[in-house]
Amino acid sequence: LVVAFGGMAIKNADVHGGGISQHVVLPKLKGASARGARFKLVSPLRDDFPADVNADWLPIIPGTDMALMLGIAYVLVAEGLHDRAFLDRYTTGYDRFENYLLGHTDGVPKTPEWAANICGIGAGEITDLARQMARSRTLITVSHSLQRADYGEQPVWMGIVLAAMLGQIG
């Protein structure tokens, strides 16, 4: 399962420094799809992922990816789908994040319902995506277009947190 936050637009992937190079992204995506890989596009724009590769589109409200990611993380914790042994062994500070996620620090649990009200993706879809991510080998990509001045690199770091929660980073 590939979850592409902010998409994976070929026009961006085929830009290479130093001149002409081989454009391999689209054939690689098609090959992965032919071998059974599934793709989820999280973006307000449908064309942020190649039409030639079948991706389920989750049309998110612009600038709300963090809320969706937190909603996914909440499901992983609430349903015991996170890899606690991996987190305990390989991370530092996860307990502080989980306290925030569950609302212990600010009184606001980051539930799928909370996230749905912000990002425009239904709570059921958020829950289903979290479960799919937990039961599959999952690659999380975060587009550079999400790195805006108003929230810096938070989506990138949250993508890393999700990968760690799934025990699928490294």
Side-chain angles (χ1 to χ4, degrees):
L1 176 64
V2 177
V3 182
F5 290 94
M8 200 180 290
I10 295 301
K11 65 182 171 77
N12 298 336
D14 282 339
V15 175
H16 303 278
I20 299 172
S21 64
Q22 207 173 18
H23 295 185
V24 298
V25 175
L26 184 57
K28 296 290 185 183
L29 289 173
K30 286 180 178 179
S33 180
R35 290 187 304 280
R38 294 173 297 120
F39 299 90
K40 300 285 184 179
L41 164 63
V42 180
S43 173
L45 304 173
R46 178 62 183 103
D47 63 356
D48 271 348
F49 201 88
D52 298 355
V53 180
N54 189 22
D56 294 330
W57 179 35
L58 300 171
I60 194 168
I61 295 171
T64 63
D65 299 80
M66 282 296 296
L68 174 58
M69 292 173 166
L70 288 167
I72 291 168
Y74 185 93
V75 172
L76 296 176
V77 172
E79 297 188 3
L81 301 173
H82 59 314
D83 189 334
R84 177 57 79 174
F86 182 92
L87 293 166
D88 289 344
R89 182 169 181 183
Y90 296 108
T91 69
T92 301
Y94 174 78
D95 54 331
R96 290 176 48 203
F97 168 76
E98 187 172 285
N99 282 329
Y100 169 74
L101 181 70
L102 299 177
H104 299 284
T105 58
D106 63 359
V108 181
K110 311 312 179 279
T111 65
E113 293 76 19
W114 169 87
N117 287 327
I118 297 169
C119 71
I121 296 172
E125 286 181 275
I126 294 170
T127 300
D128 184 54
L129 178 57
R131 291 172 180 162
Q132 288 179 52
M133 291 170 73
R135 71 175 170 254
S136 302
R137 184 171 172 94
T138 300
L139 172 66
I140 298 165
T141 68
V142 181
S143 169
H144 288 288
S145 66
L146 296 181
Q147 297 178 33
R148 300 188 342 230
D150 56 343
Y151 53 72
E153 295 184 5
Q154 290 176 4
V156 172
W157 286 112
M158 190 61 212
I160 293 168
V161 171
L162 286 172
M165 291 178 74
L166 294 168
Q168 298 184 30
I169 191 169

